[in-house]
Amino acid sequence: MKVWIPHPAGVGLLGEMPPGVTVEPWTDPAAPPSDPAGVRFWVPPFLAGGDATAMLTRLPDLAVVQLLSAGADAWVGRVPDGVTLCDARGVHDAGTAEWVVAAILAQLRNFPAMARAQARREWAYADVAPTDELTGKRVLIVGAGSIGAAVQARLAPFDVEFTLVARTARPAEGVHGTDELPRLLPTADVVVLLVPLTGATRGMVDEAFLAAMPDGALLVNAARGPVARTEALLAELAGGRLRAALDVTDPEPLPAEHPLWELPNVLLTPHVAGSVRGLLPRAYRLVGAQVRRFAAGEPLVNTVVDGY
């Protein structure tokens, strides 16, 4: 069988392949590396959008789509019947968790304002000190999956208080359900969004969600842009009552004329939380293991069901 992957470097990162498996990099959509017949396992490009799903029609023997992203929203409902969709759960835990911690610290310690002062060659102590601090903060993690656990582990040394929320409550683990958010949000100093984009989470951060957050609270979005309603987010942030650190936006990329760029209480990064140098080795270890499972007729991991 054939396995098509998006990175030539990935060939050497997969580990030993079973007999009869041919791995070919597919880097140019217009130029397949060989006859698409026989391609059973396809790895699309990282962060490929909905346009990449058009390639599915060119692979008549496809059985598995293995994503390199933790989110599968661009693919759910577009993969043909009989094709298994798998995400990269676990691959992005470390990178995304690092970004969340960095973004929280940067906003609380007012690094963006100091970076702007540095660009002006201005010693701005009187303007920025004293800053806020992370120690003692109440952190609400919305999305208590593997990335949420990684964020919690990295924030724990800062002596913060955690509240975890998932799609459904897991009382034995101390995890609340999303239906409890109206009660939990008013107690949170920092709200971290890590949920996948599904029908249930699209627009969940709306006017009511934001209004329930206390004055001065920080919203951190490392999930997907459409999880938050941009109009509601802009209205609340423009008033200065809340702060935000956003790695994702809606629309994305954010147009140059969009007013979010100009708000001093907003830290924007260009969807880079998972784009770290260790991504490819971790991702292709997963891909290699999945190919070996598939070739041996074993169950695959990280299969996507109902958008999760």
Side-chain angles (χ1 to χ4, degrees), residues 15-270:
E16 185 176 355
M17 289 286 96
V21 172
T22 301
V23 180
E24 298 175 334
W26 186 16
T27 58
D28 182 356
S34 65
D35 186 346
V39 176
R40 301 282 286 156
F41 196 109
W42 177 39
V43 182
F46 179 49
L47 295 181
D51 55 339
T53 62
M55 303 302 171
L56 292 166
T57 61
R58 301 170 62 180
L59 304 173
D61 300 319
L62 188 64
V64 179
V65 175
Q66 173 62 61
L67 304 180
L68 298 180
S69 59
D73 47 280
W75 298 85
V76 172
R78 296 183 173 92
V79 176
D81 292 341
V83 176
T84 300
L85 177 65
C86 301
D87 63 27
R89 186 178 190 271
V91 167
H92 300 281
D93 293 1
T96 302
E98 284 184 3
W99 180 90
V100 169
V101 174
I104 292 173
L105 286 169
Q107 279 294 71
L108 294 182
R109 298 305 303 266
N110 213 3
F111 277 19
M114 287 185 264
R116 291 190 289 269
Q118 179 182 353
R120 299 190 300 267
R121 302 192 179 198
E122 178 182 319
W123 193 262
Y125 180 89
D127 296 326
V128 300
T131 71
D132 203 346
E133 60 182 334
L134 179 53
T135 301
K137 286 289 188 286
R138 299 164 298 177
V139 179
L140 174 62
I141 297 176
V142 185
S146 63
I147 296 177
V151 169
Q152 183 179 12
R154 285 158 177 78
L155 286 177
F158 290 92
D159 296 324
V160 302
E161 178 184 330
F162 293 105
T163 303
L164 305 180
V165 172
R167 175 176 44 165
T168 55
R170 304 196 296 267
E173 302 173 33
V175 177
H176 302 266
T178 53
D179 59 321
E180 298 180 69
L181 279 171
R183 176 177 65 83
L184 298 173
L185 285 167
T187 68
D189 300 306
V190 179
V191 178
V192 181
L193 303 175
L194 296 169
V195 294
L197 179 60
T198 67
T201 64
R202 183 179 294 272
M204 72 180 296
V205 180
D206 56 11
E207 292 83 355
F209 185 109
L210 296 167
M213 293 174 62
D215 292 352
L218 171 63
L219 179 72
V220 181
N221 192 355
R224 287 290 186 267
V227 168
R229 294 184 181 176
T230 303
E231 296 77 9
L233 191 61
L234 180 61
E236 192 70 69
L237 292 170
R241 193 181 71 83
L242 301 177
R243 295 171 284 182
L246 310 174
D247 189 48
V248 290
T249 59
D250 182 26
E252 188 176 303
L254 194 66
E257 66 276 8
H258 200 283
L260 273 176
W261 288 113
E262 300 179 357
L263 297 180
N265 52 336
V266 177
L267 171 65
L268 282 169
T269 61

